[in-house]
Amino acid sequence: MSIIANIAVLLAITAFLYYLKKKHVKFSTRVFIALGLGILLGLGLHTIYGVESETLNATMPWYNIIGTGYVKLLQMIAMPLVFISILIAFTKLTIGKNLGKMAGIILAVLIGTTAISAALGIGAATIFDLDASQILQGEAEVARGEAIAERSAEMADKTLPDQILDLFPANPFFDLTGARSTSTIAVVIFAAFLGFAFLTVNRKQPEVAATIKKGVDAIYALIMEVVKIVLRLTPYGILALMARTVATSDFGAIYNLGKFVIASYVALIIMFIVHLIIVALTGLSPITYVKKTAETLLFAFTSRSSAGALPMNIQTQTKKLGVPDGIANFAASFGLSIGQNGCAGVYPAMLAVMIAPTVGINPLTPSFIATVIVVVAISSFGVAGVGGGATFAAIIVLSALDLPVALAGVLISVEPLIDMGRTALNVSGSMTAGVTASRALGELDTEVYNDKSTYKEATEI
């Protein structure tokens, strides 16, 4: 009966969230309410049953139908969305000869900010005196460490040239399934080839190009409607995910790792301030940037999916920040697989500093710090946009530095808490790249950027 009661509570709250939708409560408000109610529900289940209870273990699979089901739907739309967003970016380009310059600026911002975030991660780990050897490992952490070590062993068999070759799409349709760890960047490369081909066709056969553009626009419209259907489920998915996360969390382990959580968020917040400084250096108001991106960053924070936030990311850039369609699509799509400031920057760098002392390496030597920053920046290519990206980035960095990757498993109990902030920072980085590139090229619509009427305008979901 307890299990049925737990399910009934979840369904009742779900019905309440649906009622709010019928009352036209803003999307971001409903997501925030779902987040709060999910935390309260999780705390209630945790207090009543305890982490190891049979009742809780039997209840969670039912919660997963909504929570994990929502994540799977985000994964379902991720690759098609990345592919069509890159392709349509080429069809919407209005800057012609500035294509190379635009791509260069976007990549420079993404990779440059990742290097800065790595330095901040190193600084945070040092200031908070984080050391992996001081953290106790439970069964879950040991199991996670063994899995990470196995994955690292598979990657270690490949030389650097082989790893670079893995980025290329030998079979793009296979990569569209997301089957490989490098599938995201492979899909980006395939879509870019089609995009360049479109530009050539547009120059030689404009009539044919017009037909192609209509077809791409039609597919884009269809996929975006699928995306909107999935995103409308966000409040319900967030409710179930947060309830499960809090209910099954080992509060003792979280307390022991509290210093790591705090250090992570200190680094993430400072890096977000760096984004605002970059915006300010372009002559734009950082306060305006915060107000207009808040809804999208909240979605990224709660969903923990950079790919899931892609449509809102693009829409925020074009409708609220005045970034042209082509640049917005490029920046948002590239940001899914290149230079993720949170997952590929702060996180691997902090782990490197934490783990280095366990093998007798002084992490504060200039040579080690410089090596970590360079390795993090280079390895930020190809980080997945939905789930597992931070782990993949950590494996690459730790392996390149010849550090024991298994110790990364000690953080499994706080992973969801940190991943929310990391994802929001990833999305902010891509939007910063879009604003910076369009401003540098003189393509930014400053009237749209400064238009205060869009502060509270809800993103179309």
Side-chain angles (χ1 to χ4, degrees):
M1 289 299 294
S2 297
I3 298 173
I4 295 175
N6 296 338
I7 296 172
V9 172
L10 178 67
L11 293 178
I13 299 176
T14 300
F16 172 68
L17 292 173
Y18 182 74
Y19 170 78
L20 294 180
K21 180 180 182 298
K22 286 296 184 181
K23 289 296 182 179
H24 305 291
V25 175
K26 198 167 70 168
F27 175 76
S28 58
T29 302
R30 287 185 282 121
V31 169
F32 194 75
I33 291 173
L35 176 66
L37 292 176
I39 292 174
L40 292 176
L41 176 58
L43 285 172
L45 294 173
H46 188 282
T47 303
I48 295 171
Y49 302 109
V51 179
E52 301 296 334
S53 73
E54 292 183 5
T55 301
L56 188 62
N57 290 335
T59 298
M60 286 305 104
W62 293 99
Y63 278 43
N64 287 342
I65 293 177
I66 298 177
T68 305
Y70 170 70
V71 173
K72 286 184 176 293
L73 290 176
L74 286 178
Q75 293 172 330
M76 174 190 74
I77 64 175
M79 286 303 179
L81 192 55
V82 171
F83 172 75
I84 198 64
S85 294
I86 287 288
L87 185 54
I88 202 168
F90 280 90
T91 67
K92 290 180 176 294
L93 282 177
T94 58
I95 53 180
K97 62 182 180 180
N98 286 331
L99 173 61
K101 187 176 180 181
M102 175 203 69
I105 294 173
I106 291 174
L107 291 175
V109 173
L110 290 173
I111 299 172
T113 51
T114 300
I116 296 173
S117 65
L120 291 174
I122 293 172
T126 302
I127 292 172
F128 283 85
D129 192 26
L130 300 179
D131 188 338
S133 62
Q134 299 172 355
I135 301 175
L136 298 176
Q137 297 189 59
E139 293 181 5
E141 287 79 10
V142 172
R144 170 82 179 280
E146 291 175 352
I148 291 175
E150 290 177 5
R151 189 172 179 185
S152 176
E154 294 175 1
M155 294 176 60
D157 293 335
K158 296 182 179 181
T159 63
L160 180 59
D162 289 336
Q163 293 180 29
I164 293 174
L165 284 174
D166 278 346
L167 300 177
F168 292 89
N171 184 342
F173 300 101
F174 179 70
D175 283 314
L176 281 168
T177 66
R180 300 189 301 145
S181 57
T182 56
S183 285
T184 304
I185 191 66
V187 168
V188 169
I189 292 172
F190 176 57
F193 267 93
L194 290 179
F196 282 113
F198 169 81
L199 294 179
T200 301
V201 173
N202 190 41
R203 188 175 66 253
K204 296 180 178 179
Q205 298 173 282
E207 299 84 3
V208 176
T211 303
I212 295 173
K213 186 178 185 304
K214 287 182 179 179
V216 172
D217 287 343
I219 296 174
Y220 182 77
L222 181 62
I223 290 178
M224 288 305 295
E225 285 304 317
V226 174
V227 168
K228 288 179 181 179
I229 293 173
V230 174
L231 293 187
R232 290 188 188 110
L233 302 175
T234 297
Y236 318 114
I238 295 302
L239 168 67
L241 287 172
M242 291 307 301
R244 182 193 67 186
T245 298
V246 175
T248 58
S249 291
D250 183 345
F251 288 173
I254 293 176
Y255 176 79
N256 292 333
L257 292 171
K259 190 163 66 170
F260 178 81
V261 175
I262 294 172
S264 297
Y265 272 93
V266 167
L268 294 172
I269 291 171
I270 293 175
M271 190 60 218
F272 181 66
I273 294 174
V274 171
H275 290 171
L276 300 183
I277 292 173
I278 293 173
V279 171
L281 290 175
T282 66
L284 300 170
S285 169
I287 296 176
T288 299
Y289 175 86
V290 172
K291 290 181 177 180
K292 293 196 172 187
T293 61
E295 186 179 40
T296 300
L297 296 181
L298 173 62
F299 173 81
F301 182 86
T302 52
S303 69
R304 294 170 51 199
S305 171
S306 298
L310 181 60
M312 292 181 68
N313 184 337
I314 295 172
Q315 193 175 99
T316 297
Q317 289 192 56
T318 56
K319 304 296 184 183
K320 295 184 178 182
L321 299 177
V323 178
D325 286 337
I327 296 178
N329 278 272
F330 265 112
S333 302
F334 280 0
L336 290 182
S337 56
I338 299 172
Q340 293 196 343
N341 292 180
C343 290
V346 171
Y347 185 67
M350 290 186 71
L351 286 184
V353 173
M354 290 174 61
I355 294 174
T358 66
V359 292
I361 297 176
N362 181 1
L364 299 182
T365 60
S367 59
F368 182 81
I369 293 174
T371 302
V372 170
I373 293 175
V374 171
V375 170
V376 166
I378 294 175
S379 65
S380 66
F381 284 79
V383 177
V386 179
T391 299
F392 178 59
I395 290 174
I396 295 175
V397 171
L398 296 177
S399 298
L401 296 171
D402 199 23
L403 296 174
V405 297
L407 285 176
V410 302
L411 304 172
I412 185 174
S413 57
V414 295
E415 182 78 9
L417 299 178
I418 302 168
D419 197 40
M420 292 189 289
R422 290 192 312 228
T423 305
L425 187 67
N426 294 342
V427 173
S428 177
S430 64
M431 288 194 285
T432 300
V435 170
T436 303
S438 55
R439 184 68 163 169
L441 295 169
E443 295 285 332
L444 186 76
D445 190 334
T446 53
E447 290 186 7
V448 172
Y449 186 93
N450 295 317
D451 185 1
K452 295 182 179 181
S453 66
T454 58
Y455 279 169
K456 297 182 180 181
E457 182 179 304
T459 305
E460 184 183 345
I461 297 297

